[in-house]
Amino acid sequence: MTVPLTLASEHRCFGGTVAFYRHASEACGGEMRFGIYVPPQAATRKVPVLYYLAGLTCTEETLLMKGGAQRVAAELGVMLVAPDTSPRGAGFPGESESWDFGVGAGFYVDATQPPWSSRYRMFTYVTRELPALVAAHLPARADREGIFGHSMGGHGALVCALRQPGRYRSVSAFAPIAAPMRAPWGQKAFSGYLGPEQQAWRAWDASELVRTLREPLPPLLVDQGTKDKFLTEQLRPELLQEACAAAGQPLSLRMQEGYDHSYYFVSTFMEDHLRHHAAALNA
């Protein structure tokens, strides 16, 4: 039986439609929300789908309100799907006490530690449940998927692709947390969601996962601002670059002079990323 979607709002945009939905989630044990941009081409045919994972404190609205993506997505005929960044309203002790763990900070992992393991299953939600809903309710081509994201969501996009070789035709990231095992944000999240055993963390760290690839993914595009205040301590793109070089994984790491971590940075290079994805999705 197909889970119904509840339409929260809908807006005409560049000949297509921005819409926000909510639905009951089995993976996350409660209500989840996502935003979507359906391009004008979807009026006559199914279109490729590009999933966007947002960062810490963000929501399903962030890309569609701040990313500047809809105009180019309309031109390219690509659907954008943006899930929320965590379950909400679980009521777990401490889930709203800090901005980098709990609500708004699901880290796109499947938690194994109680109580988080009963609700915080964002990997399963993003890679299985949400795509199934999109395919059932919307004019999406399930055989043509790409994924990208920013910061925590950049980490999520890389991990989703690396854990499922062959699933996504295109992958990119803005300022990803590239080696969360060696970053305070990642260490805090992984300790809480996955427990103290660091060996278990490797399955959720892009710089570790890329070393285990048997064959390369599609070429990765990563943009990183040189003035990003989180660059040295939290993001560590050089570790991903080293791992990709060792594994033979194609990577274009572009250090963008003077840019920070904000959506001023993300929106500046959004068109480049959408064209990177469309070249593969529309091939």
Side-chain angles (χ1 to χ4, degrees):
M1 180 173 137
T2 302
V3 174
L5 299 179
T6 299
L7 179 66
S9 66
E10 189 174 48
H11 316 274
R12 196 72 172 156
C13 185
F14 291 104
T17 305
V18 168
F20 297 96
Y21 292 96
R22 60 181 185 269
H23 66 92
S25 168
E26 181 179 352
C28 296
E31 184 178 272
M32 289 295 291
R33 309 187 306 234
F34 69 94
I36 190 165
Y37 178 66
V38 180
Q41 294 86 344
T44 58
R45 59 178 171 85
K46 291 186 176 182
V47 295
V49 187
L50 181 54
Y51 289 89
Y52 179 83
L53 308 184
L56 292 164
T57 76
C58 293
T59 73
E60 75 283 359
E61 296 182 326
T62 306
L63 169 70
L64 298 169
M65 294 182 71
K66 295 182 176 182
Q70 290 94 307
R71 176 185 62 81
V72 180
E75 174 195 335
L76 299 173
V78 174
M79 181 185 295
L80 303 172
V81 179
D84 201 356
T85 52
S86 77
R88 296 179 188 266
F92 297 151
E95 73 170 357
S96 299
E97 290 182 0
S98 59
W99 62 274
D100 56 355
F101 183 79
V103 173
F107 260 82
Y108 305 103
V109 304
D110 280 350
T112 59
Q113 301 300 299
W116 313 101
S117 56
S118 65
R119 294 285 304 270
Y120 279 65
R121 302 181 67 242
M122 289 298 294
F123 177 79
T124 293
Y125 176 71
V126 165
T127 63
R128 298 181 191 174
E129 186 174 32
L130 181 58
L133 284 172
V134 169
H137 290 281
L138 296 156
R141 286 198 61 174
D143 63 328
R144 292 180 179 264
E145 296 178 319
I147 193 164
F148 69 148
H150 172 233
S151 193
M152 177 185 73
H155 141 77
L158 293 172
V159 166
C160 286
L162 288 163
R163 287 175 62 98
Q164 304 173 99
R167 165 72 181 275
Y168 300 102
R169 290 177 175 243
S170 56
V171 188
S172 74
F174 301 94
I177 305 171
M181 289 182 65
R182 289 180 272 184
W185 282 339
Q187 291 162 358
K188 179 177 180 177
F190 287 3
S191 294
Y193 296 138
L194 305 174
E197 179 49 61
Q198 294 194 13
Q199 186 62 33
W201 300 2
R202 296 183 184 278
W204 303 100
D205 184 306
S207 294
E208 297 292 327
L209 283 168
V210 75
R211 298 180 187 277
T212 68
L213 279 177
R214 295 185 178 179
E215 59 183 63
L217 297 180
L220 306 178
L221 172 63
V222 173
D223 275 315
Q224 173 62 62
T226 62
K227 297 296 185 182
D228 190 322
K229 66 182 179 180
F230 304 116
L231 174 58
T232 302
E233 184 179 27
Q234 302 282 13
L235 305 178
R236 310 294 302 276
E238 75 282 358
L239 298 178
L240 178 65
Q241 187 174 45
E242 292 167 6
C244 285
Q249 168 61 47
L251 167 68
S252 176
L253 173 60
R254 308 192 307 182
M255 301 302 296
Q256 303 292 359
E257 185 63 36
Y259 285 89
D260 59 18
H261 198 69
S262 71
Y263 269 79
Y264 300 113
F265 156 66
V266 172
S267 62
T268 298
F269 300 102
M270 179 60 68
E271 181 169 351
D272 287 359
H273 283 245
L274 292 177
R275 294 192 183 280
H276 164 81
H277 287 278
L281 295 174
N282 289 326

